[in-house]
Amino acid sequence: MSAAAIEQPFDDEPFSLTAIADEIMERHPGYRVEIIGGHLLVTPSPDAPHARALTGLMIPFIAAGLHGDETEVLQNVGLRLPTGDEDYAIPDLVIVDADIDDHFVENNAYDPVCFRLVLEVTSSNWKDDLKTKAVAYAKAMVPVYVIVDRKHQRLHVLTDPTGEKYEHHRPYSPGETVTLPDSIGAKVTLDVNEILKAAQKKAS
């Protein structure tokens, strides 16, 4: 992952990482900017297979009744992180309590207490999804973290956060199925091969 180059617009006034993040997003529409551990993570706009995988993943979640009165299935919702004063992440997909609006913190981010699952589909920044965000989401005590690892053709399920790391981390390969923890609000089983296939570029 490479950060977008910007000019320094804050020469004679106090500045913050949040202000820099806003500047990057203003100059580079479509880029996602997150602050984790006091560092800016900048991700280019996702490609079509990335978006296709997310759409495919929403279907079983919605079919299981997770987008309703008690929980919602949403994309690109800011999650306030306890790793720094300005820290937040923007997961690709989340399952949250339906009262998420009551948990707004600041800067379009919400208290992690209302997040039941976060999911990332890897792009060029796959190391951040597998390492940096795994630590950040564990510290935020998000119960379930799912990674669609396009780089290594795996689906990772991390559960039981301790506040420092996830106690259980299980990678799944094509041909396997994954039944997610009941804590997300419903029984959901995912076909790993189907998800990874959707996340790949279609042959010409």
Side-chain angles (χ1 to χ4, degrees), residues 40-169:
L40 289 168
L41 301 183
V42 184
T43 308
S45 301
D47 56 16
H50 184 284
R52 191 178 298 119
L54 288 178
T55 300
L57 281 158
M58 290 185 74
I59 293 170
F61 290 142
I62 293 172
L66 288 170
H67 193 68
D69 294 332
E70 294 188 7
T71 57
E72 295 181 332
V73 182
L74 306 173
Q75 293 188 29
N76 302 323
V77 173
L79 187 161
R80 183 72 172 85
L81 294 170
T83 50
D85 291 341
E86 297 180 88
D87 283 14
Y88 68 92
I90 308 174
D92 289 321
L93 187 69
V94 299
I95 296 173
V96 295
D97 294 338
D99 67 350
I100 184 173
D101 292 339
D102 297 333
H103 296 281
F104 178 80
V105 180
E106 61 183 347
N107 195 33
N108 290 328
Y110 297 81
D111 192 313
V113 70
C114 63
F115 288 75
R116 299 190 182 195
L117 174 148
V118 295
L119 183 149
E120 302 281 6
V121 177
T122 62
S123 297
S124 58
N125 61 333
W126 57 271
K127 289 183 180 178
D128 289 324
D129 291 333
L130 290 169
K131 296 180 180 180
T132 305
K133 290 189 176 182
V135 173
Y137 292 146
K139 288 184 176 181
M141 297 299 288
V142 177
V144 182
Y145 177 31
V146 177
I147 309 165
V148 180
D149 182 0
R150 298 197 289 173
K151 174 73 173 179
H152 304 101
Q153 289 295 285
R154 296 287 186 270
L155 189 143
H156 301 262
V157 178
L158 291 76
T159 59
D160 303 312
T162 65
E164 293 295 330
K165 64 178 183 177
Y166 281 97
E167 194 68 28
H168 298 101
H169 177 181

